[in-house]
Amino acid sequence: MKTAKLVYGGEEYDLPVFTGSENESAIDISKLREQTGAVAYDPGYGNVGSCRSAITFIDGDKGILRYRGYPIEQLARKACFSEVCHLLIHNHLPDEEEFGLWRRELTLNSFIHEDMLKFFEGFPTKSHPMAILAAMIASLSAYHPEEERGQTIEKNIIRLLAKVKTFAAFSYKKSVGEPFVYPLTRYSYAQNFLRMMFATPAEEYEPPKVLADALNMLLIIHADHEQNCSTSTVRMVGSSRANLFASVSAGVSALWGSLHGGANQAVIEMLERIIDDGGDCKAFVAKVKEKKSRARLMGFGHRVYKNYDPRARLLKKANDDVHRKLGIKDPLLDVALELEEIALNDEYFIERNLYPNVDFYSGILYRAMGIPTDMFTVMFAMGRMPGWIAHWKEQRDTPNSRIHRPRQIYTGTTERKFIPISKRPKSKKG
Ligand code: SDX
């Protein structure tokens, strides 16, 4: 057993070191407080492994991303989203028979209990669809309670994967005041979603292959990303043995933040602002570099990738294909390409290893599909669903997995005596 030596308080401690299947090393500090009385400190957990996981591997320096060993470039170009869901959750690509059953289950379970339709009436028309999605997913626990004794977990996994696209499409239909459209077994996951979004009683909508293929790829590249903020949230909530729906609903809320999945919406708003201000990309980049402006180049930078995010590379190419095939000229794409060109040649971004991440180009592709900006983070959640489920299941299936309970360093007021209000001195204002 390899060890790392810690010298602290005049004592020496040998901390165990172990390596994963890709030769990543970890210093095991799970006994640190017991041995030394001190805790390790790492706000944002940038240097801490919260678990061992066999689902996704990322090498941020080399820009590598693999789901269960398969490189993202191969899956994005050759697989369909529902088989990638099966791969992430069940650790193998399904054979033809398994795939037929799996895909049929996903469509037949896309329907939501008719009583849940009433929930949509309660939301204001312009509700953000992430608020609706988080509420709807948590509410599934009321309709499909998890029985410890039964095998409901496998069934609830299918239900959640299947219904998320229905919640997403229905929240859009509610916002435009159109009737809900139901899925058909003859369509793929991506085709069904586009049809549920854009078909109306007056006019059928046959999803164009180029858009269904682009959506399929978008969902695949969002499907998992190891211990990101929202997946860690799902594991945190699931560690208390909360049910799947409650745990994933928490993940939806974590993803909503503009530093995480909300960034794809923030990128479009940033590009639109640049155009409204006259389209001067150089001036915007100069503002980003002035600390006091607090402006960020949204869609750039990443906690793990210190190289080009492989997903951004795939999305940049997909944007080029879709816009060319559909003959679309989107000024936002031109601005995004110019911003990238400027940033990749600017010392500020180079020395901080800031490259385009998955959110930089995804929104432009959603726009080409006709998906409104406030639906972009919901699209990210739809894609990330299998990843959240796979991590929740991996943790649930791990024997003796412990409830997550980090420690802290207290910096508040030390002990003081309670004074009854009649004797309390006037408090200092401000
Ligand atoms: C996702 O974790 C995942 O895997 C997430 C994700 C997934 O698939 O789940 O990949 C999806 O969330 C992608 C990230 C989407 N968010 C954004 O695009 C928002 C803009 N980016 C950032 O705010 C930032 O880069 C983060 C949040 C992504 C990462 O932040 P870190 O690792 O905490 O880095 P940091 O804030 O400490 O920044 C380090 C330096 C700072 O400058 P200095 O103080 O050293 O001078 O880089 C600067 C930051 O100011 N910086 C940026 C910047 N991002 C970091 N400066 C300008 N523009 C940016 N976008």
Side-chain angles (χ1 to χ4, degrees):
M1 161 73 82
K2 278 198 303 183
T3 59
K5 194 167 287 303
L6 172 70
V7 179
Y8 173 74
E11 299 285 337
E12 279 196 4
Y13 302 91
D14 287 326
L15 302 177
V17 173
F18 66 92
T19 50
S21 52
E22 290 284 352
N23 293 319
E24 298 164 302
S25 289
I27 300 171
D28 183 340
I29 58 167
S30 47
K31 298 269 184 294
L32 182 71
R33 190 167 181 278
E34 188 185 313
Q35 290 171 321
T36 69
V39 294
Y41 179 68
D42 181 20
Y45 309 122
N47 300 282
V48 170
S50 61
C51 61
R52 289 175 162 91
S53 178
I55 299 171
T56 290
F57 172 68
I58 300 175
D59 181 323
D61 297 328
K62 296 187 187 127
I64 290 173
L65 170 59
R66 298 191 201 118
Y67 296 161
R68 300 283 189 184
Y70 294 95
I72 191 64
E73 294 79 5
Q74 293 178 27
L75 294 171
R77 291 194 186 102
K78 299 176 184 159
C80 80
F81 177 60
S82 36
E83 69 184 327
V84 169
C85 293
H86 192 283
L87 169 68
L88 286 167
I89 295 166
H90 295 300
N91 191 16
H92 70 275
L93 286 168
D95 61 30
E96 281 198 88
E97 189 193 345
E98 282 176 316
F99 183 54
L101 290 170
W102 174 255
R103 200 160 101 161
R104 183 169 167 75
E105 278 289 287
L106 285 180
T107 305
L108 294 181
N109 281 277
S110 298
F111 302 91
I112 58 178
H113 194 293
E114 290 289 291
D115 288 353
M116 291 191 88
L117 299 181
K118 298 188 186 77
F119 292 23
F120 286 95
E121 292 159 27
F123 286 104
T125 309
K126 286 299 166 208
S127 304
H128 196 290
M130 284 295 273
I132 297 176
L133 186 63
M136 287 305 202
I137 289 177
S139 306
L140 284 175
S141 339
Y143 290 83
H144 310 290
E146 182 185 302
E147 297 123 35
E148 284 295 332
R149 61 190 173 284
Q151 274 312 309
T152 51
I153 286 181
E154 285 309 319
K155 184 72 178 166
N156 281 350
I157 285 173
I158 287 264
R159 284 178 175 133
L160 181 52
L161 267 180
K163 295 179 195 311
V164 64
K165 70 174 174 300
T166 307
F167 292 142
F170 284 13
S171 61
Y172 170 69
K173 284 300 196 187
K174 158 152 177 103
S175 72
V176 294
E178 288 178 4
F180 297 144
V181 175
Y182 284 87
L184 302 172
T185 47
R186 68 170 182 274
Y187 281 132
S188 73
Y189 198 99
Q191 287 169 320
N192 255 322
F193 177 74
L194 289 172
R195 182 177 167 276
M196 291 163 78
M197 285 282 287
F198 302 121
T200 68
E203 199 166 40
E204 191 37 90
Y205 176 80
E206 185 65 32
K209 184 175 181 328
V210 63
L211 293 184
D213 290 350
L215 178 56
N216 178 67
M217 188 270 287
L218 270 161
L219 294 171
I220 289 173
I221 67 168
H222 283 87
D224 192 48
H225 215 240
E226 51 126 290
Q227 304 308 318
N228 59 85
C229 175
S230 53
T231 303
S232 298
T233 301
V234 170
R235 290 184 88 119
M236 167 71 84
V237 175
S239 75
S240 73
R241 298 193 74 75
N243 68 63
L244 174 67
F245 302 127
S247 305
V248 168
S249 176
V252 171
S253 300
L255 186 75
W256 198 354
S258 65
L259 292 186
H260 189 14
N264 55 19
Q265 175 170 346
V267 167
I268 296 299
E269 289 159 356
M270 171 188 76
L271 297 175
E272 285 171 336
R273 239 186 348 266
I274 291 171
I275 290 178
D276 293 346
D277 294 349
D280 187 339
C281 293
K282 286 193 170 60
F284 179 76
V285 170
K287 199 170 91 181
V288 164
K289 289 159 62 178
E290 285 161 26
K291 279 288 160 220
K292 61 181 187 319
S293 78
R294 294 171 61 79
R296 289 215 154 180
L297 184 50
M298 299 310 276
F300 258 68
H302 200 278
R303 178 62 61 78
V304 175
Y305 289 121
K306 299 310 170 193
N307 199 322
Y308 210 106
D309 183 333
R311 302 167 297 177
R313 203 186 303 284
L314 287 162
L315 284 169
K316 185 176 175 180
K317 168 94 179 47
N319 263 306
D320 183 46
D321 293 347
V322 166
H323 285 76
R324 189 169 20 81
K325 284 180 188 157
L326 294 180
I328 303 174
K329 267 306 278 162
D330 186 347
L332 296 194
L333 180 55
D334 300 334
V335 171
L337 292 169
E338 187 182 348
L339 283 172
E340 177 185 342
E341 180 63 26
I342 295 168
L344 294 189
N345 294 290
D346 183 302
E347 263 318 298
Y348 173 92
F349 296 88
I350 294 168
E351 65 192 28
R352 291 171 178 79
N353 297 311
L354 301 177
Y355 293 88
N357 60 49
V358 67
D359 291 303
F360 191 61
Y361 287 111
S362 55
I364 296 167
L365 211 40
Y366 292 134
R367 272 164 63 91
M369 295 172 192
I371 294 170
T373 304
D374 69 358
M375 281 282 290
F376 289 0
T377 312
V378 168
M379 303 304 292
F380 193 142
M382 248 168 66
R384 187 52 53 90
M385 200 49 68
W388 286 333
I389 293 170
H391 282 275
W392 180 89
K393 185 176 183 299
E394 182 179 66
Q395 179 174 263
R396 180 59 79 91
D397 292 347
T398 304
N400 315 314
S401 68
R402 304 177 72 205
I403 188 168
H404 294 192
R405 204 283 186 211
R407 306 305 298 259
Q408 62 163 27
I409 294 296
Y410 177 70
T411 56
T413 307
T414 51
E415 187 174 3
R416 51 183 169 175
K417 214 164 146 36
F418 179 81
I419 302 169
I421 193 156
S422 56
K423 298 195 172 61
R424 210 169 292 163
K426 271 184 83 53
S427 52
K428 299 183 196 72
K429 288 284 170 278

